[in-house]
Amino acid sequence: MTSADSTPLHPRPIRSFVLREGRLTVAQERAFRELWSRFGVEWTPGKVLDWTTLFEHAQPVTVEIGFGNGESLAAMAAAAPERNWLGIEVHRPGIGHVLLEIERLGLRNLRVLRHDAVAVLSEGIAPASVAAVQLFFPDPWPKRRHHKRRILSPQLVAVLAQVLESGGIFHAATDWEPYAAQMLETLDAAALWFENTAGAGHFAPRPSSRPLTRFEQRGERLGHPVRDVIFRRRLVQVTG
Ligand SMILES: C[S@@+](CC[C@H](N)C(=O)[O-])C[C@H]1O[C@@H](n2cnc3c(N)ncnc32)[C@H](O)[C@@H]1O
């Protein structure tokens, strides 16, 4: 619908992704048929997710934004059964792939949700209810006119500050140097909410807990240096 001067009444939000449907393999088709009802999360915009109904055990939750094919996410969830993991991705073949990984590894602590992660974090997660958020190799949107599509923005940082509990960790990695610099600058500027674990102005050493992701391997092949930023949520003031 448009107004009389044809300005859209509900302008489309600027998204950090372009939906490429891609073909599902036969195995991924089966994963959606047989595994989605067990490991997929149905979410209605505006509805807050309830960790206690989503996961078998009440334990710290890590959310991963844009897990791609999910192999590194599944490996992390397998290595840390004492945590719950929620992966948010929009790309169907990647989701199909991670469903197969969940089945193959027998994981009980990883669930996946198909939606724009920005909307889920903004409207679907209770304040201070997440122990960690990770964002590995987000689309770099290298062209200047596309920079507004980069998912790591002051708006996202405000949303992260809302969902992370006191002491909660936000961890991002990228192989695109200008984006790495932007991440550091944006998060360092939010010093009221976040403390840079490496000290203001510094990248963090690559933690061994982060498995090599598919896009990281690609970056390495291209000779791109990989940068990690790890920020800790400062004490959350509960008011009212
Ligand atoms: C460059 S890939 C990196 C994938 C993976 N993290 C890795 O390192 O191999 C970025 C991924 O983020 C997903 N993505 C981008 N914006 C998203 C959003 N707003 N919500 C959920 N997923 C998103 C894309 O679909 C894509 O799979």
Side-chain angles (χ1 to χ4, degrees), residues 16-17 66-68 88-91 115-117 136-137 139 151 213-215:
S16 58
F17 57 89
F67 56 74
I88 310 176
E89 176 54 73
V90 287
H91 189 49
H115 205 96
D116 183 339
F136 297 151
F137 304 90
D139 299 291
I151 194 165
T213 78
R214 182 157 155 245
F215 276 82

Side-chain angles (χ1 to χ4, degrees), residues 64-80 85 97-98 101 104-105 107 110 134-137 206 209-217:
E64 178 158 334
I65 303 172
F67 56 74
N69 73 10
E71 280 192 15
S72 60
L73 171 60
M76 289 183 93
W85 300 77
H97 192 92
V98 81
E101 282 295 283
R104 186 177 72 80
L105 297 166
L107 302 179
L110 169 57
Q134 54 195 40
L135 171 70
F136 297 151
F137 304 90
R206 183 189 197 289
S209 58
R210 181 166 66 70
L212 207 62
T213 78
R214 182 157 155 245
F215 276 82
E216 181 169 15
Q217 288 167 5

Side-chain angles (χ1 to χ4, degrees), residues 50-150:
D50 177 3
W51 297 150
T52 60
T53 54
L54 231 53
F55 295 107
E56 283 176 23
H57 301 291
Q59 42 190 21
V61 177
T62 297
V63 174
E64 178 158 334
I65 303 172
F67 56 74
N69 73 10
E71 280 192 15
S72 60
L73 171 60
M76 289 183 93
E82 72 287 358
R83 302 178 78 90
N84 293 325
W85 300 77
L86 174 69
I88 310 176
E89 176 54 73
V90 287
H91 189 49
R92 262 166 67 81
I95 294 172
H97 192 92
V98 81
L99 289 172
L100 295 169
E101 282 295 283
I102 295 174
E103 180 184 52
R104 186 177 72 80
L105 297 166
L107 302 179
R108 324 239 352 199
N109 59 336
L110 169 57
R111 307 286 307 267
V112 290
L113 192 157
R114 181 168 190 245
H115 205 96
D116 183 339
V118 178
V120 180
L121 288 162
S122 313
E123 310 167 21
I125 294 188
S129 70
V130 173
V133 175
Q134 54 195 40
L135 171 70
F136 297 151
F137 304 90
D139 299 291
W141 294 110
K143 292 186 181 144
R144 178 173 288 277
R145 69 172 191 279
H146 288 150
H147 284 182
K148 57 183 180 293
R149 286 183 173 272
R150 288 181 177 168

Side-chain angles (χ1 to χ4, degrees), residues 130-134 164-165 167-171 197 230-233:
V130 173
V133 175
Q134 54 195 40
L164 281 166
E165 62 192 30
I169 293 291
F170 173 64
H171 179 188
T197 61
I230 304 182
F231 281 71
R232 186 178 298 111
R233 178 71 171 99

